[in-house]
Amino acid sequence: MSVLMTLIALAAAGALIGLRFKVSALLAATALLAIGSLAWNGFGFPGHVSVLKFLILAFVLAGAYIIGVLLSVRWRQTAE
């Protein structure tokens, strides 16, 4: 359940970032994800974040960002 909620939360965050911000915000969010994963593992919380899990989370974030950008472009075209 927690993995599903993490994926949904990252997808929502990526889409919202894509609607408003440029790629630099995606890079910052990915860096924050990496730092958070390292901190999670360092503190010894349950649910170790492996490299594969981090890559999946980063791809979900980037994919949702692209969807957000496409929606933003589409809304701007219809508003004109």
Side-chain angles (χ1 to χ4, degrees):
M1 182 68 173
S2 66
V3 174
L4 179 62
M5 292 304 293
T6 303
L7 290 175
I8 291 171
L10 274 176
L16 291 174
I17 290 170
L19 286 172
R20 178 66 181 99
F21 298 106
K22 296 188 185 285
V23 174
S24 59
L26 175 65
L27 294 176
T30 305
L32 185 64
L33 177 65
I35 292 168
S37 297
L38 289 174
W40 187 269
N41 291 337
F43 289 133
F45 293 134
H48 182 75
V49 180
S50 64
V51 174
L52 179 62
K53 287 181 185 176
F54 170 75
L55 288 176
I56 290 171
L57 294 174
F59 281 125
V60 166
L61 181 65
Y65 173 81
I66 291 172
I67 291 171
V69 168
L70 292 175
L71 288 173
S72 175
V73 168
R74 184 71 170 166
W75 282 341
R76 288 180 186 159
Q77 287 177 350
T78 57
E80 292 178 349

